[in-house]
Amino acid sequence: MRGTRPKRRVAALGSAGALVTATLIAGAVAAPSANASASAGTRHGQDQEARGAAVAAAKAAKAGIDWQDCPADWNLAKPIQCGYVTVPLDYAKPHGKQIKLAVDRIGNTGTKAERQGALLYNPGGPGGSGLRFPARVTSKNPVWANAAKAYDFVGFDPRGVGKSTPISCVDPQEFVKAPKMDPVPDSEADKLAQRKLAREYAEGCQDRSGAMLPHMTTPNTARDLDVIRAALGEKKLNFLGVSYGTYLGAVYGTLFPGHVRRMVVDSVVNPSRDKIWYQANLDQDVAFEGRWKDWQDWVAKNDATYHLGTTRAAVQEKWLELRATAKKNPLGGVVGPAELISFFQSAPYYDSAWASTASVFSKYAAGDTQALIDAAAPDLSDTAGNVSAENGNAVYTAVECADAKWPTSWRTWDRDNTRLHKDHPFMTWANAWMNLPCATWPAKQRTPLNVKSGKGLPGVLIVQSERDAATPYEGAVELHKRFKGSRLITEKGAGSHGVTGLVNPCVNERVDTYLLTGELDRRDVTCAPHATPKP
């Protein structure tokens, strides 16, 4: 489930997994003895990996991090410092091949006495870079000013991402080329063509990054997180995870419950094994449709500004007209339905994109096509940005495909997405094609970890908006059930993805109190929504 999605590839927030469960249950019923021996094998593998993680953490604690000024092309100005932490590619072989992970930090802004250690951050994805996190201090972001007094802000690129032994599945310039096929198929031939593209993408991942693929799992990234903790000289981890970062936090809390000091998870991926990842993506399609309608209602309410219609139905009609026009003749030769969805999906994702998305749409409706082309077309001259987008998508795919066993039968995918598309057309097919490489994935697929509380896990703070499209609300409720002693803050009637970075004193003050004192409310809390965007 992604929070920071790769640009210009219509995705689901992260991915999710629906029909897998039926297959797993059927398998368990049909062959209990095989299933039992498989789970014993899984346990043995996890034991090996747990020992490997302890070996790697002890080594990292001794080595520390050689902090330096950041390389100029990382665009991280002083006083942010950068360094690397070495981890095993395969934790079952801790002395085998090693990879380097990029980390950065800025010291706490308060006194020595106020310092409470390092706060590590993951922004989501899978595939998002956390290296911009210390810039919240240099930019004097007021929401984080209190936490910055107490904590060093530490960011990192997870394995496979950006500066951390990056993976790739296709040439980046080819990856961003447009226009792509309309995600909504008109015929069986369209479906066959998309299936071929998905299979070729999976093969490209194997060709370009095959050695990394079996090890691109969330549990391995959680083990990496523990090695970084040790390299920082921290006895326990303070962690802030948003979107997919919440699943990383949930897995870390399950594998290393006694290593957690404070943990805030914001916009929660449903950690149920039945959801990771196929069903989670289907759930996302439903939630995206709901939030898309919320945005259309807002646009209609502000018709005096946007002139796109005074009702949701009228705004939807304009959207369908635009889509049909771009399908027939891509705008500027490059913006077809796929590129439109990629651009417009930011509105159901983030309230902060409501006004800018509506403004571009409004200009188009008034006859200015160029504004929409500029906003939605790829920029082939931005080679660094295209490398980053391709890498983000590669990691997204690799992690979700490796974390869980996906349906391999096309009939399952076709049935589920055809059915869902009828009432939830905005994202369903686009999301399906993004995740379809997992059906023919060339590397090992694991069984998701059973997320649960363990000995020593402190109270975790869970923050969630009620109408989040990317990580539907039920995910927060599910994690709350699994992590005993956790508290859930619900931002009622709101739907932006990523709540802790928004200005909402009811949320901000509780996050500060928890990070600074460890105190949680005695019961769950409901907050009023943050301010509605202004047109």
Side-chain angles (χ1 to χ4, degrees):
M1 318 284 323
R2 350 183 36 93
T4 48
R5 329 168 44 125
K7 290 186 296 185
R8 318 250 191 270
R9 165 117 160 130
V10 184
L13 212 212
S15 247
L19 292 173
V20 153
T21 31
T23 324
L24 292 181
I25 291 164
V29 172
S33 57
N35 203 52
S37 65
S39 68
T42 301
R43 268 200 310 277
H44 174 64
Q46 283 172 354
D47 290 346
Q48 269 187 318
E49 287 165 331
R51 282 195 293 273
V55 167
K59 213 159 114 185
K62 219 179 262 182
I65 300 171
D66 178 18
W67 294 109
Q68 306 279 345
D69 289 343
C70 300
D73 63 348
W74 290 24
N75 298 316
L76 297 162
K78 285 195 251 190
I80 298 171
Q81 294 180 300
C82 292
Y84 287 97
V85 174
T86 301
V87 300
L89 174 63
D90 180 356
Y91 278 94
K93 297 174 183 164
H95 302 293
K97 181 172 169 53
Q98 308 288 304
I99 58 174
K100 283 189 184 313
L101 306 180
V103 292
D104 67 345
R105 72 161 182 194
I106 192 165
N108 72 304
T109 59
T111 62
K112 257 188 185 172
E114 285 175 294
R115 187 176 178 276
Q116 295 192 38
L119 176 64
L120 272 82
Y121 171 71
N122 180 273
S129 166
L131 293 178
R132 298 297 308 165
F133 184 53
R136 294 188 186 182
V137 182
T138 53
S139 68
K140 298 189 165 40
N141 184 320
V143 171
W144 296 101
N146 291 327
K149 281 182 190 164
Y151 292 97
D152 305 345
F153 277 23
V154 176
F156 71 105
D157 274 354
R159 57 172 53 207
V161 174
K163 317 291 183 197
S164 294
T165 321
I167 67 166
S168 168
C169 292
V170 64
D171 175 81
Q173 294 297 94
E174 284 300 316
F175 175 75
V176 300
K177 266 190 192 161
K180 308 245 185 281
M181 273 184 76
D182 183 351
V184 178
D186 287 328
S187 62
E188 289 304 312
D190 285 353
K191 291 177 185 176
L192 266 174
Q194 292 279 18
R195 289 170 65 190
K196 181 171 182 277
L197 289 172
R199 192 169 61 250
E200 286 169 353
Y201 185 81
E203 288 163 0
C205 296
Q206 179 65 27
D207 291 346
R208 293 168 79 97
S209 306
M212 292 277 285
L213 298 186
H215 311 293
M216 290 292 297
T217 66
T218 302
N220 275 342
T221 301
R223 295 176 186 112
D224 294 344
L225 196 52
D226 201 57
V227 177
I228 294 171
R229 171 201 60 75
L232 289 164
E234 300 282 328
K235 284 200 164 54
K236 297 206 170 187
L237 178 76
N238 304 296
F239 179 72
L240 168 64
V242 182
S243 191
Y244 166 76
T246 66
Y247 185 55
L248 176 58
V251 169
Y252 183 91
T254 303
L255 292 176
F256 303 100
H259 292 193
V260 179
R261 180 175 177 268
R262 310 259 159 87
M263 183 180 286
V264 179
V265 288
D266 169 5
S267 305
V268 181
V269 170
N270 193 320
S272 164
R273 282 173 149 173
D274 294 348
K275 300 289 188 181
I276 301 295
W277 281 109
Y278 179 78
Q279 184 64 46
N281 276 303
L282 296 178
D283 293 348
Q284 209 176 40
D285 299 337
V286 175
F288 259 102
E289 196 69 32
R291 196 61 182 160
W292 173 244
K293 288 173 178 169
D294 290 350
W295 175 70
Q296 290 179 322
D297 287 338
W298 178 85
V299 172
K301 201 171 123 189
N302 291 289
D303 184 60
T305 304
Y306 299 118
H307 314 295
L308 290 164
T310 56
T311 63
R312 179 202 296 169
V315 179
Q316 174 71 359
E317 192 53 44
K318 282 267 197 315
W319 158 250
L320 294 174
E321 280 171 26
L322 165 59
R323 212 185 173 292
T325 301
K327 184 180 174 81
K328 202 170 175 186
N329 290 303
L331 315 179
V334 283
V335 175
E339 291 70 35
L340 288 176
I341 294 169
S342 238
F343 169 66
F344 276 89
Q345 74 187 4
S346 58
Y349 248 110
Y350 306 110
D351 294 6
S352 59
W354 278 19
S356 56
T357 307
S359 175
V360 169
F361 193 8
S362 174
K363 283 177 185 167
Y364 170 83
D368 175 5
T369 306
Q370 195 56 43
L372 184 50
I373 295 168
D374 292 344
D379 178 359
L380 291 174
S381 71
D382 179 17
T383 49
N386 297 337
V387 165
S388 176
E390 190 278 323
N391 168 247
N393 199 81
V395 175
Y396 167 90
T397 310
V399 173
E400 296 203 358
C401 295
D403 267 355
K405 294 175 173 65
W406 289 68
T408 54
S409 160
W410 166 245
R411 285 176 64 187
T412 299
W413 291 76
D414 195 22
R415 177 196 67 202
D416 294 340
N417 288 285
T418 300
R419 187 186 294 158
L420 209 55
H421 172 79
K422 281 182 190 141
D423 294 322
H424 310 94
F426 179 66
M427 280 287 292
T428 297
W429 278 113
N431 208 357
W433 306 126
M434 177 164 182
N435 296 303
L436 190 60
C438 295
T440 57
W441 197 241
K444 180 174 180 173
Q445 294 184 321
R446 308 270 179 144
T447 300
L449 193 69
N450 183 29
V451 166
K452 59 182 183 191
S453 281
K455 192 179 171 188
L457 184 73
V460 168
L461 182 60
I462 301 170
V463 187
Q464 178 81 30
S465 68
E466 193 180 35
R467 295 186 60 75
D468 189 330
T471 51
Y473 185 73
E474 296 70 31
V477 175
E478 182 67 28
L479 183 61
H480 187 23
K481 274 189 215 153
R482 288 166 180 258
F483 272 1
K484 291 181 179 57
S486 61
R487 285 289 172 272
L488 171 59
I489 300 175
T490 301
E491 198 188 18
K492 191 101 179 135
S496 203
H497 184 63
V499 178
T500 50
L502 303 172
V503 175
N504 186 338
C506 175
V507 175
N508 306 145
E509 286 161 17
R510 285 178 166 85
V511 171
D512 279 348
T513 298
Y514 172 71
L515 287 174
L516 297 175
T517 69
E519 282 177 34
L520 291 164
D521 285 274
R522 293 180 65 178
R523 53 182 64 85
D524 295 338
V525 175
T526 300
C527 291
H530 61 276
T532 305
K534 288 187 166 57

